[in-house]
Amino acid sequence: MQAREWLVLSRLPGVGSRELAAIAERSPAWPQGWLAALPGEAATALRLWLDHPARSPVTTTLEADQAWLAADSARHLLHVGHPAWPDLLGQIADPPPVLWALGDLEALSPPRLAVVGTRRPTREGLGNAAAFARELASRGWCLVSGMALGIDGAAQQAALEAGGRSVAVLGCGVDLVYPPRHHRLYRRLQAPGGLLLSEHPPATRARPGFFPRRNRIVTGLSLGVLVVEAAEKSGSLVSARLATEQGREVFVLPGSIHNPQARGCLQLIRDGAVLVREIDDILAELTQWRALPDAGSASPVSAESASPPSADPLLRWLSGSPTPVDALVGLSGLGIAECQRRLLELELEGLATQAVGGWVRLPSPPGA
């Protein structure tokens, strides 16, 4: 389906992201298959839009959405099938039907790690967040967070200042600055290397209930989450729980038993999270996703110089377990378009195929 259809689905009343994801997994035909699968209120609204668009409230919002997207080349609508759609989101139970994006889509190319923490950090916590962010950037990883005050914002700012990439997932529309104190960081995230994402349409104001939902996207985009200072009752612990439920690795910086902002971290370690002392403690746990030393700056391989599909270097990164396209891009150093072209060639050769959560390698044909 195209962006227009996904926009319509995202605007239907009476249906949530979990239901839409469950229906989409069955690949229903548009529109009849969706009409049959949607719950009553949503199906009625879709039928009205299809048969009498002038009478449908969906038409008004659709026109406004399309006008906003067309006003600036840095504005994008990501959905399943879009070249920049992060395949990792397909592994979570309730991925957003669409993601509104503002900034540089290439920020989604490298492997991604979430960094989260308290909004009231100590000086040591801020220093640790910045140090780990700079090191991640130098290793070719993209840092994902929620642009919140404290650890989140400090880590994202440090990654960008180090010449790395960072993605911020907002609990409001991407056209709004929240929290307002991060106006400078918000602007920087629209420059090359930065990206703002939200499941909420433009002009949607932040609400308390949006932030836990936002956290599932922060962790869902990422291969793991690093918690830097978290109190016993902290939103960062929600992110850690979500990461565990999504099958992601949880990494934690330990802290003093006398520091209230470290008690949540110590509890996570007791519960089995990976204790981290340095960046290699993280990368050792994510060996199969390790970025190439120059993954953030590697030039795409031209079609003319590419090897035949059967000898394509992408095969080295494929196995029997699904590997998302965005991870393959970071691992191989190829651009998104080139990576997808090669995957298609491998599929035509019978050497790879797309599965839920990414691409898998197929057994070599007899005699190969």
Side-chain angles (χ1 to χ4, degrees), residues 171-173 178 200 203-214:
C172 59
Y178 189 91
H200 305 290
T204 302
R205 296 194 174 277
R207 298 177 187 172
F210 288 168
F211 294 102
R213 299 282 298 163
R214 180 272 311 271

Side-chain angles (χ1 to χ4, degrees), residues 149-162:
L149 296 174
I151 295 296
D152 297 31
Q156 294 194 270
Q157 187 69 47
L160 292 167
E161 288 176 351

Side-chain angles (χ1 to χ4, degrees), residues 73-145:
S73 61
R75 299 175 180 180
H76 312 274
L77 186 81
L78 305 185
H79 53 85
V80 173
H82 189 286
W85 177 258
D87 286 346
L88 279 173
L89 282 179
Q91 299 178 4
I92 71 174
D94 53 346
V98 300
L99 279 173
W100 299 84
L102 180 59
D104 180 9
L105 292 181
E106 285 297 319
L108 288 167
S109 296
R112 297 177 296 273
L113 188 79
V115 177
V116 300
T118 180
R119 288 173 172 78
R120 299 177 179 83
T122 63
R123 186 185 300 273
E124 181 183 22
L126 286 174
N128 287 336
F132 272 80
R134 286 191 291 267
E135 184 69 12
L136 282 168
S138 72
R139 302 288 189 103
W141 287 71
C142 172
L143 191 150
V144 182
S145 201

